[in-house]
Amino acid sequence: MIQAVIVEDEMLVRLGTKLCLEGYQGAIQVKEAFESGEEALQYFQNHTADVLITDIKLAGMSGLELIRAVKPEHLQMRTVVLSCYEDFAYAREAMELGVDKYLLKHELTGDELPKAVTELCREIRFVRDRNTGIRKSGQSAEEPAEEQNYALGYLVLRGEREMQNSGPEQIDLNILAEIIQKLLNVGKFGECFLRHGKEIFLVFQTEQETSEEEFSARIRNFYERLSRNIFNYFNRNTYLFVSDPFPNMGQITEKFSEMKQVSAYAFYYENSRLFRGDPCAGRQGTCPKLKLETEGAFTEKWFADCEKQARDFFFEARKNLADVAQVKAEVVKYYYNLEEYLANGTKEGGLAENYTSIDAFDSAEMLEEWLVALFAEIRRNLPGPNEQMQKIKEYIGQHYQEDLSLERIAAAFHMSMSYFSQYFKKQEGVNFVTYLNRLRIQKAKELLRDQEMTAEQAAEAIGISNPNYFVRLFKKMTGQTVGAYRKSLKS
């Protein structure tokens, strides 16, 4: 769908133009129709379009003045001028501004205007010629003049809150390369290359006598215009990595490898940024550690501590500009340990997502948020208090005949002993030892109904290895001796 903006001060003409465009094969949508050039100029500060259709004579800012104001920041936008004037001066000025079509209103018939708009907005072919200076990767480059200095720029794009850098699957790199080349052509600043249809790099060129300050200023000015155009057309943040100047084009391969390698550090930035040379030079530190703590697991304090630990880890990584591969390796290791811990506990099978997908993150912020969200997911999937206590009771019922210590059962449910004790008493009203002893004595009473069963045998069957302790505990819990209990069964 072609997105069009109309600027026409006569209401009926404005409405008629809109209806004419939108009624043509459903291929054109009029995003806005403005009465004045000033309104349109304000709109284009934050928006763009595929085509601008404007009258020349408007109250206030003229159509040509509007085109002159917006064209530098919207290089890909096609422009159509509608005029009642056949004066060659208007047409010549329109041509000098790069207007794509100059049409006389009184000569327009039928679908001539929408056909012209559709033709202008057909897919742009990426062809190198002497006017654009764009060259496909793999084509030979002419050997540059010796008196030039060069710098290589490597481009990375990423949308706001996107986990991965943008590639040809998300944006049309051919159109992007044409926009970049038009910007480079201003001042003859270099050439843009599309390598294997997947990545864009730039070769800046300047006279050898150009000072570093002047060269840096030109790079900054170019970058500011580039980032605005990319945001307008593709809604992406722009990360441009520019090498130090070099005199010999034979160094292109080396500089390309260097800039592509350091481009990984876009990982740490969520807003557009220009990088000169190696962004880590003189400040790269060691990668922090991310260790899974299991003490007090699944308590509110544990979840809060895990989130703080993750936040602190990424804060240190950003501050140190730690090696991105090492940062991801730490997260993978942490995830693997967490998955293994969960698989052995309350959540059978561990976590659903394959931890190797962590390597796909190109944004530290999104990887951090993913890890923090993982804790929230674990918290949601934990059983509620009633379900948890039911599982604890079932576990006790299955293992009461064994040496069932507080340490053992707390570990089975990923809790510290102190937290398990507090949790159990809060839910049941008695401590764990009392609950276990009550269960054991109840089972012993059932066994002692068999007159052939001795007290020693009953004690061993319920997990108490000391017969004397069993006899004392039986008296304490029932108020009767073992013998008195058996006599009561006969009466």
Side-chain angles (χ1 to χ4, degrees), residues 389 420-432:
M389 275 308 302
F420 180 86
S421 295
Q422 296 170 8
Y423 175 81
F424 193 96
K425 188 170 184 179
K426 180 179 179 180
Q427 297 297 320
E428 287 299 304
V430 296
N431 62 37
F432 164 70

Side-chain angles (χ1 to χ4, degrees), residues 322-424:
D323 181 86
V324 175
Q326 292 183 24
V327 170
K328 292 181 179 179
E330 280 295 312
V331 178
V332 166
K333 184 166 60 176
Y334 183 88
Y335 184 92
Y336 178 81
N337 290 335
L338 181 60
E339 181 184 45
E340 187 175 46
Y341 187 63
L342 289 172
N344 294 330
T346 59
K347 187 175 180 180
E348 293 185 7
L351 301 169
E353 189 170 350
N354 190 332
Y355 61 85
T356 56
S357 64
I358 291 167
D359 189 51
F361 281 86
D362 293 319
S363 163
E365 179 178 304
M366 297 309 295
L367 181 55
E368 178 180 345
E369 294 305 320
W370 172 83
L371 186 56
V372 170
L374 185 64
F375 302 134
E377 179 187 353
I378 294 171
R379 183 191 279 113
R380 285 193 302 270
N381 290 335
L382 285 176
N386 293 337
E387 184 182 353
Q388 181 83 324
M389 275 308 302
Q390 183 60 35
K391 290 186 176 182
I392 291 173
K393 289 179 179 179
E394 289 174 359
Y395 185 90
I396 295 172
Q398 293 168 0
H399 300 281
Y400 73 91
Q401 298 164 303
E402 304 166 13
D403 182 15
L404 188 56
S405 64
L406 176 62
E407 180 180 8
R408 176 182 168 185
I409 192 169
F413 288 89
H414 302 298
M415 301 180 189
S416 66
M417 289 190 291
S418 59
Y419 177 78
F420 180 86
S421 295
Q422 296 170 8
Y423 175 81
F424 193 96

